[in-house]
Amino acid sequence: MILSETKIVAIKDSRGSQTLEAHITAHEGDSKEISVVASVPAGKSTGIHEVKSLSPALAFEQFEKIKRNIIGVNFHDQQEFDALLIALDGSLDKHVLGGNLILVLSEGFARAFAATRDLGLNQYLHQLLGSKHKIPDRFPRPLFNIINGGAHVTIPSDWDKKFGVSKSLDIQEFQVVPATDDFALGLSVGKEFYSKLGYELGKIYGAENVILGDEAGYVCPFKTNEEALEIIQELINRYLYPLKIGLDAAASQFHNDADDSYMIEGAERTPEELTMLYYDLAHAYELISLEDPFNEEAFDDFAGLQEKIPKTILITDDLTTTNPERLSKAISKKSANAILIKPNQIGTITETIDVISMAYENGWKTIVSHRSGETKDDFIADLAVGVGAWGLKSGAPATEYRMAKYSRALDLWQKINPSGPF
Ligand code: PEP
Ligand code: MG
């Protein structure tokens, strides 16, 4: 495939920050030209082992330098294109070209390559992985982040005086996960639960004290993590919703490197004490999944917890940063049994597929995830479906940034299950 034209522009993401969007025109042999667009997100609770991003201004400069290596050149496959970007960058953390510039080109290439072959993007990504590993025959479950905490929340300044609440909850994401394989049913249950929860929180805290965090989950003057968990559990029980509870602790955010302690629920805890807290939560709320329970270097603490709560899917995010070396270490240490996949943590689609392949090779599940600062690009929905991920994490079932991914997954579900009731 030959890229005849490629332009990079800056757009605003869901937080109003600038990010990159690629406009690519390409053709294969004598076939007619196709045009695609791709854009990339940005995290806030980022892991230190993620690749580095450049500001749009610097990314434009870098793109000008490499343009002639890309435009007008005939690329035979994704690997060849991505390998060129990796070589042109030449660094380990992609700080020269920027992981964001590399990914926007890699995703744009994938979308164009699929289109020139009349393949759906999910089918194309399926083929990329299929050449390496047998793909699980499953459709991803949505992980709806319905209450936001941690770095994804700004607490209103008057909540301290009004409620004695000056900081967000320690745990970053309180999720509900449908207990059904039917994606359409799961999405509609998730939407209904989200709307009921909003109403319920309004009754408890006053509608004016129910605001939204970065991922469209609710934020209220909660005093403790358990207070939020109790409200979710009670509502599930009251209406018998087929929903399970999941958490992303994003524990690096409340870890103290100096003495390896964690400040959570108003107390300083050792890794052992935190393990017991999670053990209690996992049993009290029958947690289906738990992400990043410890700091991003705590491979052994993850492993200790994994042994104690074998029924909960333990997910690594900041610990592994979609990076093959980090995943390999986590596998050998038996740190967890599932990895969060965020393409912008590593920078190219080829490397993302390689990490997924390594995860499957070792019996791990994958959960494909958005970032807290998102665009309306729905690439990750095709990735989750194409690679048979266990989950798709895209925030609350609300706002166009989060819904873009769930809606695309719903379209794909309906294509696969045309006789469904939805
Ligand atoms: C996460 O931690 O899983 C997440 C989506 O947040 P961020 O994008 O801020 O890293
Ligand atoms: Mg996370």
Side-chain angles (χ1 to χ4, degrees), residues 45 152 172-173 248-250 291-292 317-318 340 342 369 393:
S45 61
H152 297 162
Q172 179 180 280
E173 300 184 16
D248 177 6
E291 181 184 330
D292 274 358
D317 173 12
D318 291 352
L340 205 73
K342 292 169 166 170
S369 171
K393 180 172 110 150

Side-chain angles (χ1 to χ4, degrees), residues 37-52:
V37 179
S39 58
V40 286
K44 196 181 255 177
S45 61
T46 46
I48 51 169
H49 299 286
E50 295 189 22
V51 297
K52 301 290 171 277

Side-chain angles (χ1 to χ4, degrees), residues 287-300:
L287 296 183
I288 187 166
S289 60
L290 174 57
E291 181 184 330
D292 274 358
F294 297 102
N295 179 45
E296 58 202 320
E297 301 297 348
F299 288 91
D300 295 328

Side-chain angles (χ1 to χ4, degrees), residues 160-181:
D160 196 4
K161 221 159 137 205
K162 272 167 59 187
F163 309 107
V165 170
S166 57
K167 62 184 268 298
S168 58
L169 290 174
D170 313 305
I171 291 178
Q172 179 180 280
E173 300 184 16
F174 295 76
Q175 306 154 346
V176 287
V177 185
T180 169
D181 291 335

Side-chain angles (χ1 to χ4, degrees), residues 30-99:
D30 294 333
S31 71
K32 77 170 175 37
E33 295 209 305
I34 54 105
S35 293
V36 298
V37 179
S39 58
V40 286
K44 196 181 255 177
S45 61
T46 46
I48 51 169
H49 299 286
E50 295 189 22
V51 297
K52 301 290 171 277
S53 287
L54 295 185
S55 67
L58 282 176
F60 296 154
E61 267 179 35
Q62 292 305 318
F63 181 62
E64 282 309 311
K65 289 188 200 156
I66 62 163
K67 236 163 126 173
R68 62 188 174 82
N69 300 89
I70 293 172
I71 298 173
V73 179
N74 193 11
F75 293 100
H76 300 93
D77 55 33
Q78 186 82 39
Q79 286 87 338
E80 186 185 353
F81 183 73
D82 288 347
L84 174 74
L85 293 174
I86 291 168
L88 287 170
D89 173 80
S91 71
L92 278 179
D93 60 4
K94 301 192 172 74
H95 71 273
V96 178
L97 294 184

Side-chain angles (χ1 to χ4, degrees), residues 107-406:
E107 287 194 353
F109 182 92
R111 203 165 252 149
F113 205 80
T116 56
R117 278 148 183 80
D118 269 336
L119 283 173
L121 181 57
N122 63 310
Q123 294 169 318
Y124 170 64
L125 295 167
H126 185 91
Q127 285 183 5
L128 282 185
L129 178 62
S131 64
K132 292 176 185 291
H133 200 274
K134 190 173 173 302
I135 300 172
D137 182 20
R138 68 158 85 89
F139 203 89
R141 281 172 195 223
L143 283 77
F144 299 117
N145 177 9
I146 42 146
I147 289 182
N148 288 184
H152 297 162
V153 169
T154 309
I155 293 288
S157 53
D158 61 344
W159 279 12
D160 196 4
K161 221 159 137 205
K162 272 167 59 187
F163 309 107
V165 170
S166 57
K167 62 184 268 298
S168 58
L169 290 174
D170 313 305
I171 291 178
Q172 179 180 280
E173 300 184 16
F174 295 76
Q175 306 154 346
V176 287
V177 185
T180 169
D181 291 335
D182 184 327
F183 187 87
L185 181 62
L187 181 54
S188 79
V189 170
K191 279 180 174 170
E192 184 182 314
F193 185 81
Y194 178 77
S195 125
K196 273 235 164 53
L197 179 63
Y199 176 72
E200 200 61 27
L201 292 171
K203 281 204 302 192
I204 302 172
Y205 300 98
E208 69 284 11
N209 300 313
V210 182
I211 58 174
L212 297 188
D214 285 1
E215 298 189 354
Y218 299 114
V219 177
C220 295
F222 301 115
K223 293 227 166 59
T224 66
N225 301 291
E226 284 229 42
E227 183 179 330
L229 277 166
E230 271 303 312
I231 293 169
I232 297 169
Q233 184 71 77
E234 193 281 320
L235 200 59
I236 292 176
N237 293 348
R238 197 191 315 164
Y239 296 100
L240 298 177
Y241 278 115
L243 292 169
K244 296 269 177 202
I245 299 177
L247 297 174
D248 177 6
S252 298
Q253 300 290 321
F254 52 87
H255 179 252
N256 183 353
D257 291 346
D259 62 356
D260 191 22
S261 69
Y262 296 86
M263 193 66 195
I264 179 168
E265 294 287 46
E268 201 176 276
R269 290 168 206 256
T270 62
E272 294 73 32
E273 288 164 345
L274 187 56
T275 300
M276 287 326 292
L277 176 72
Y278 290 133
Y279 179 88
D280 291 342
L281 291 180
H283 286 91
Y285 299 100
E286 290 179 16
L287 296 183
I288 187 166
S289 60
L290 174 57
E291 181 184 330
D292 274 358
F294 297 102
N295 179 45
E296 58 202 320
E297 301 297 348
F299 288 91
D300 295 328
D301 296 327
F302 271 74
L305 180 62
Q306 164 77 98
E307 266 186 22
K308 286 199 167 56
I309 52 167
K311 285 197 190 140
T312 301
I313 297 173
L314 200 57
I315 307 169
T316 63
D317 173 12
D318 291 352
L319 189 80
T320 41
T321 56
T322 319
N323 177 306
E325 277 96 54
R326 304 282 303 173
L327 175 59
S328 170
K329 185 165 174 186
I331 289 168
S332 68
K333 294 241 174 199
K334 297 191 169 51
S335 297
N337 52 12
I339 177 175
L340 205 73
I341 299 293
K342 292 169 166 170
N344 83 329
Q345 286 181 324
I346 188 69
T348 65
I349 293 309
T350 300
E351 290 162 293
T352 302
I353 294 286
D354 285 349
V355 169
I356 294 170
S357 174
M358 186 191 287
Y360 289 161
E361 203 70 55
N362 291 279
W364 283 41
K365 292 183 167 59
T366 61
I367 292 93
V368 174
S369 171
H370 70 156
R371 301 306 306 248
S372 50
E374 261 299 334
T375 71
K376 291 172 202 155
D377 194 313
D378 54 14
F379 191 98
I380 59 160
D382 285 81
L383 182 62
V385 173
V387 305
W390 180 83
L392 169 63
K393 180 172 110 150
S394 177
T399 77
E400 50 197 338
Y401 296 96
R402 311 300 153 187
M403 278 307 296
K405 288 71 168 169
Y406 294 134

